[in-house]
Amino acid sequence: GAVVSQHPSWVICKSGTSVKIECRSLDFQATTMFWYRQFPKQSLMLMATSNEGSKATYEQGVEKDKFLINHASLTLSTLTVTSAHPEDSSFYICSAIRGGSGTEAFFGQGTRLTVV
Amino acid sequence: EDQVTQSPEALRLQEGESSSLNCSYTVSGLRGLFWYRQDPGKGPEFLFTLYSAGEEKEKERLKATLTKKESFLHITAPKPEDSATYLCAVTRSGAGSYQLTFGKGTKLSVIP
């Protein structure tokens, strides 16, 4: 199956600092990537849709100035949490759509962000 | 608004005890229904995609089926390593529409 690599798998940062999370599709080109946030015992909540070479589309209620998304190539999207606060602590997961006839989304391993 | 409801929220099975997980959905034009497995602290792992009512797919001890209103994930003779949260998601038909709407999942525990 297709492989999506997310890095780092966990990070602890101080309040007020910024954190960058990378999402790479290793063996396929992904024109579209998604970023999700997951709270304990809850399902995945879509934050934004990222298309290569264009601005990300954010879901309602998601602050685009806090969660900066860059999709500079067909294999890499990044999510930067700016001026992080403890309430931003969560599990962040990316996914990528493999082009062609399939529509399956493949997910990264997730990043556990803890803001102290 | 698309909705996905999974039941039960949690399920405990003895090893070898077969059962089914349910996913009910409401979507205006189904493009695909997806099943994922998620282990604690990990991202979802793709299992199946179903596109039309009557379709069935199998993988080892798992079998997914689809009707116009719901999908079932049947697990036959489960083993402890099948313990995980199983997520169901749908995408809506339409140009460029690949966004997944997820259910809250069913947490499966298989007891040796």
Side-chain angles (χ1 to χ4, degrees):
Chain A
V3 179
V4 175
S5 176
Q6 191 173 335
H7 179 80
S9 56
W10 61 271
V11 57
I12 301 172
C13 70
K14 291 185 177 181
S15 186
T17 62
S18 296
V19 174
K20 179 184 283 188
I21 302 170
E22 291 188 349
C23 179
R24 295 180 184 271
S25 55
L26 297 185
D27 53 358
F28 66 99
Q29 292 185 332
T31 53
T32 304
M33 289 185 172
F34 301 91
W35 287 95
Y36 294 85
R37 185 172 180 176
Q38 188 175 31
F39 295 99
K41 298 186 179 181
Q42 296 294 315
S43 191
L44 284 73
M45 182 188 77
L46 180 66
M47 298 174 65
T49 302
S50 167
N51 291 297
E52 184 266 338
S54 63
K55 290 184 178 180
T57 302
Y58 291 82
E59 296 299 301
Q60 191 173 12
V62 178
E63 298 177 59
K64 61 181 180 181
D65 294 330
K66 167 168 274 297
F67 299 101
L68 300 179
I69 293 172
N70 183 277
H71 193 161
S73 76
L74 287 172
T75 60
L76 174 64
S77 177
T78 60
L79 167 67
T80 301
V81 183
T82 63
S83 187
H85 291 283
E87 57 265 30
D88 297 324
S89 299
S90 191
F91 192 56
Y92 294 88
I93 310 173
C94 72
S95 75
I97 298 289
R98 181 169 59 182
S101 59
T103 58
E104 293 90 355
F106 296 91
F107 286 81
Q109 306 95 314
T111 297
R112 170 70 59 191
L113 170 63
T114 302
V115 185
V116 297
Chain B
E1 184 180 334
D2 302 340
Q3 286 193 331
V4 178
T5 304
Q6 291 187 247
S7 62
E9 289 186 12
L11 181 63
R12 286 171 61 93
L13 298 174
Q14 288 293 128
E15 184 172 1
E17 179 186 2
S18 301
S19 188
S20 296
L21 313 181
N22 178 265
C23 171
S24 298
Y25 64 91
T26 303
V27 61
S28 55
L30 179 71
R31 178 194 290 268
L33 184 141
F34 303 80
W35 283 98
Y36 289 88
R37 169 191 171 131
Q38 186 176 26
D39 293 300
K42 302 289 185 182
E45 175 189 343
F46 172 76
L47 293 175
F48 303 108
T49 310
L50 301 167
Y51 293 103
S52 58
E55 189 174 0
E56 298 183 352
K57 288 192 177 175
E58 286 187 68
K59 179 181 179 181
E60 296 181 352
R61 294 178 292 282
L62 299 176
K63 178 180 176 181
T65 61
L66 181 66
T67 72
K68 290 185 177 180
K69 295 182 178 180
E70 58 191 350
S71 176
F72 291 94
L73 183 66
H74 308 277
I75 181 162
T76 303
K79 298 181 178 181
E81 53 262 41
D82 295 322
S83 297
T85 295
Y86 290 85
L87 300 171
C88 173
V90 298
T91 54
R92 181 194 302 178
S93 60
S97 179
Y98 295 103
Q99 292 181 2
L100 289 164
T101 299
F102 279 90
K104 292 187 176 181
T106 294
K107 184 177 181 179
L108 175 66
S109 301
V110 182
I111 313 302

